[in-house]
Amino acid sequence: QPQVVESGGGLVQSGGSLRLSCAPSGITFRDYGIGWFRQAPGKEREAVACISRTGGLTNYATSVKGRFFISRDNAKNTVSLQMNSLKPEDTAVYYCARKTNREVLTLSSITCDSRQYGYWGQGTQVTVSS
């Protein structure tokens, strides 16, 4: 069954760093935009960051801009999310997702609209202690 698999979550102190990784199983990331989303207890899921198929375009939530960095290695078919200067409010389950439709055009910008993502992982827990 095609799926996305996240790894790298855990418990970290405020101000620390974590690196999340995402890899496909049964599908490919090549030619597809990838996004990271998160959901904290009692809150709606929100977009964190997304990246175009080439990695040339990225978009970040205002709350993580300058602290989180999304990247991809198309040779290894993986996407990573480097999270620095973590805060307790970053505590959430983090999900990686692949867009449903192949990115066939050269884009000038991207948005992290969750409705465009059809393949989702099970999530990885990130907990930031104060």
Side-chain angles (χ1 to χ4, degrees):
Q1 182 165 342
Q3 60 180 339
V4 173
V5 182
E6 306 98 338
S7 62
L11 173 64
V12 64
Q13 288 188 333
S14 180
S17 298
L18 277 177
R19 186 176 182 87
L20 304 183
S21 294
C22 176
S25 176
I27 56 174
T28 182
F29 279 176
R30 185 174 297 174
D31 294 335
Y32 292 87
I34 306 297
W36 283 97
F37 300 81
R38 68 185 181 187
Q39 187 166 20
K43 295 187 177 181
E44 292 188 356
R45 183 176 60 194
E46 63 174 352
V48 175
C50 54
I51 190 166
S52 63
R53 65 179 174 89
T54 65
L57 293 174
T58 57
N59 198 346
Y60 296 91
T62 302
S63 59
V64 307
K65 200 170 292 184
R67 300 188 298 122
F68 290 14
F69 301 93
I70 188 172
S71 62
R72 66 188 299 161
D73 185 334
N74 284 335
K76 295 182 178 179
N77 214 15
T78 58
V79 174
S80 297
L81 183 69
Q82 177 66 40
M83 306 186 295
N84 302 323
S85 302
L86 283 160
K87 306 174 181 180
E89 51 263 44
D90 294 318
T91 295
V93 177
Y94 283 71
Y95 299 91
C96 178
R98 196 205 80 176
K99 280 191 173 179
T100 303
N101 296 318
R102 183 179 282 112
E103 198 176 284
V104 296
L105 300 175
T106 300
L107 304 176
S108 58
S109 65
I110 56 172
T111 58
C112 308
D113 184 348
S114 63
R115 295 170 297 181
Q116 298 178 348
Y117 293 80
Y119 293 92
W120 292 78
Q122 294 298 308
T124 185
Q125 177 70 46
V126 172
T127 303
V128 184
S129 63
S130 57

